[in-house]
Amino acid sequence: MANNLATFLYEDVPVREMLFDGHPDLLLTTLRDLLGALPPGTVPDISLPPWEGFGWFVERNESLTYDGTFQMGTGTDNRINTGVMRQWNNAPQVPNYRGICGQVRGSAGEVWPPMGRNLDSFPPLNLFLPDLCSAISLRHEREFTVHGLDGELWVGDARNFDNGHTIPETECQCTSPVDQCPFYRPGVLDVSECKFGAPLVVSYPHFYLAHPSYRTAVTGMNPDRSKHEFRFALHPFSGIPMTANGRIQYNMHLRDNGLVLFQGVPDIIIPAFWIEQRMVLTENIADDLKVS
């Protein structure tokens, strides 16, 4: 764990502390004490985690509020509004990204508008991910079958982490001043403003579809589409999800930031871990949908 009040740049920490329990962090404790000692009206606008110590998913387990408050359409006015996100945490736009990149849009994943039958083409799916404070776009790939039920498969492509390099409308993914964009090479998304200013970026696992420089900078990266692609299958007629493989990698941007502890540190994106959120439609529900 990097800590500018520590003696060493890295520290061995139990996995449970790093993920869920949180590890005591002298930097956070000291900073919180300093801010608390300042006179009213002189406290700088610094966002700190509400919990003690550092952990990727502290207070997430069994929480009803960790992902925030979602406001979405019920479809009572029009079926095309079923499950469509309107606001997140009481706002239609997040402050972390400019323009469309900060719009609260798409679905949260559980409910989708019915698309009808016999469609000649399928539009992209927008999936809002609270961990990214933004939505990703999934491109239609092909037909898909689960338990004999026919559906359609969408996948995540390079657009979601392009940073404006090849797709102009993704320039708003850059959180740096406009004259410094694009800041990152394609393949990662800066989520630091979504995570209390921590130097965090996300990508597909093993830097799948990312610029080769990310993979060559570290060892052990072996991107494989079958293992690392972000996939989502839907029964278009009903709007019911059939299967999902939500795969995202969490990385830390390590660099020399002027502090003594970081002197000589290379500018590098270090993978921390990647997760996969999976679901598959049960056979009973699939059978019900076949006769609907």
Side-chain angles (χ1 to χ4, degrees), residues 16 40 110 118 154 170 257 259 288:
R16 184 179 179 86
E110 294 86 355
N118 304 318
W154 282 259
T170 65
N257 58 12
L259 298 175
D288 290 340

Side-chain angles (χ1 to χ4, degrees), residues 40-247:
T42 65
V43 180
D45 185 17
I46 298 178
S47 178
L48 294 178
W51 50 81
E52 297 293 332
F54 174 86
W56 293 88
F57 302 122
V58 174
E59 296 186 356
R60 183 167 195 154
N61 274 355
E62 300 182 359
S63 172
L64 299 177
T65 60
Y66 183 92
D67 285 331
T69 302
F70 297 78
Q71 184 184 80
M72 61 184 68
T74 62
T76 55
D77 56 339
N78 192 314
R79 64 182 178 85
I80 65 173
N81 293 324
T82 305
V84 175
M85 291 281 295
R86 299 304 186 196
Q87 293 189 8
W88 181 55
N89 292 334
N90 303 312
Q93 182 91 14
V94 299
N96 315 91
Y97 303 102
R98 303 184 302 273
I100 191 173
C101 297
Q103 288 182 7
V104 177
R105 57 197 175 97
S107 167
E110 294 86 355
V111 182
W112 296 82
M115 297 183 184
R117 299 185 188 274
N118 304 318
L119 298 180
D120 294 328
S121 62
F122 295 90
L125 295 183
N126 293 315
L127 180 63
F128 188 82
L129 302 179
D131 282 340
L132 276 57
C133 292
S134 64
I136 64 171
S137 180
L138 305 179
R139 170 182 53 81
H140 180 255
E141 177 75 3
R142 57 179 171 82
E143 295 180 351
F144 192 81
T145 302
V146 172
H147 302 309
L149 178 68
D150 294 332
E152 301 293 333
L153 177 70
W154 282 259
V155 300
D157 58 17
R159 164 185 291 270
N160 292 311
F161 308 134
D162 182 69
N163 294 302
H165 281 274
T166 60
I167 305 172
E169 56 265 34
T170 65
E171 186 274 338
C172 55
Q173 293 172 347
C174 178
T175 59
S176 300
V178 175
D179 60 351
Q180 298 178 22
C181 292
F183 184 82
Y184 286 103
R185 294 187 178 98
V188 302
L189 178 69
D190 179 10
V191 295
S192 58
E193 296 303 314
C194 184
K195 301 297 181 183
F196 304 101
L200 305 179
V201 298
V202 298
S203 65
Y204 294 125
H206 286 246
F207 295 121
Y208 171 65
L209 298 182
H211 192 277
S213 62
Y214 293 122
R215 297 192 295 273
T216 57
V218 294
T219 59
M221 296 292 99
N222 297 292
D224 183 329
R225 181 178 183 180
S226 65
K227 298 177 181 178
H228 304 138
E229 186 175 55
F230 195 112
R231 299 175 178 176
F232 195 93
L234 195 66
H235 184 245
F237 178 69
S238 65
I240 294 177
M242 296 171 60
T243 185
N245 300 94
R247 297 157 172 163

